[in-house]
Amino acid sequence: MKRNIAIATLTAAVLVGGGLATTAAFADSDSSGKDDRTATADRAADNTGEQRTARTTVDAATGAALKAVPGTVTEAELDDDDDSDRTVWELDVYGSDKVWHDVTVDAGTGKVLSDREDDENDDRDRHAPRAAAVSLDAAVKAALGAQPGTVTSVDLDDDDDDGKRDALRWDVDVAGKDGKQHELHVDAKSGKVTVDQDDDNDGDDD
């Protein structure tokens, strides 16, 4: 009787072990096709974590930065601080002193953590801030009107291929209420909003 029980137990263990091995084999064989989607999901998870700790909106962060450095904000991005566990807004400000500044604002408290002159002053287009008829605040409102959600970054893009100032635009990243990341473009002169068609988060450029 004891011998029969032992045999039955051993058989069950072999079957379970084989099943686990088979499952692992299938998982390995299927993982390569999911690399892009996994990476995209990881980025979305990072953005979600940042949003949870970001009680300070992009508008509030911009206001705080301009109190510290009067001028024009041309970029604001929600990011994790490398030197601490907190989430921060990193902003580029072209100051009224005609110098570029990097300003860091605590996304939890709204407090300005640092203000330093940008080392790449000579490589920036100083005319872009003055050429943008649409402000950062207006661009954010326009983008959120087209795609409700939470803004995670906004950037004044003057990197045009044909050298025309007409190409100046605001690039706005929005974490939508649908759980997806969306990239929108707001014309810096007209305020017209267009949606990037490659923002479906599947890792493919259709």
Side-chain angles (χ1 to χ4, degrees):
M1 181 66 176
K2 292 182 179 179
R3 181 181 177 188
N4 290 337
I5 292 174
I7 292 173
T9 302
L10 178 61
T11 301
V14 170
L15 290 174
V16 171
L20 290 174
T22 303
T23 301
F26 278 117
D28 288 342
S29 64
D30 188 50
S31 62
S32 59
K34 296 182 179 179
D35 287 346
D36 291 338
R37 281 173 287 178
T38 299
T40 302
D42 289 343
R43 288 193 297 271
D46 289 341
N47 286 332
T48 300
E50 290 167 357
Q51 293 166 42
R52 289 193 186 119
T53 57
R55 293 189 294 272
T56 302
T57 65
V58 63
D59 291 340
T62 299
L66 290 178
K67 283 184 179 180
V69 183
T72 302
V73 176
T74 60
E75 182 176 357
E77 182 178 7
L78 190 62
D79 201 0
D80 291 326
D81 188 354
D82 294 335
D83 299 326
S84 68
D85 293 331
R86 63 183 137 198
T87 300
V88 297
W89 283 101
E90 296 177 345
L91 304 99
D92 290 353
V93 182
Y94 184 61
S96 54
D97 57 358
K98 297 183 180 181
V99 174
W100 287 97
H101 296 259
D102 287 335
V103 181
T104 302
V105 176
D106 190 310
T109 65
K111 180 181 178 181
V112 174
L113 300 176
S114 66
D115 159 30
R116 62 182 181 82
E117 292 187 11
D118 195 325
D119 296 334
E120 299 179 358
N121 273 315
D122 296 336
D123 298 330
R124 297 284 190 87
D125 185 349
R126 298 169 183 266
H127 301 289
R130 294 194 295 270
V134 177
S135 67
L136 180 146
D137 288 345
V140 167
K141 290 178 182 177
L144 291 178
Q147 176 58 61
T150 302
V151 172
T152 56
S153 74
V154 54
D155 176 34
L156 183 59
D157 184 2
D158 60 344
D159 187 17
D160 53 307
D161 296 330
D162 54 9
K164 294 181 180 179
R165 190 65 59 191
D166 293 341
L168 195 64
R169 72 186 188 189
W170 291 97
D171 294 334
V172 186
D173 289 337
V174 177
K177 294 182 178 180
D178 56 4
K180 297 180 179 180
Q181 288 291 126
H182 303 269
E183 182 175 351
L184 299 93
H185 309 298
V186 181
D187 190 291
K189 285 193 172 182
S190 68
K192 180 181 178 181
V193 180
T194 56
V195 180
D196 194 325
Q197 297 303 313
D198 294 334
D199 65 359
D200 54 2
N201 295 316
D202 62 1
D204 299 326
D205 293 329
D206 296 333

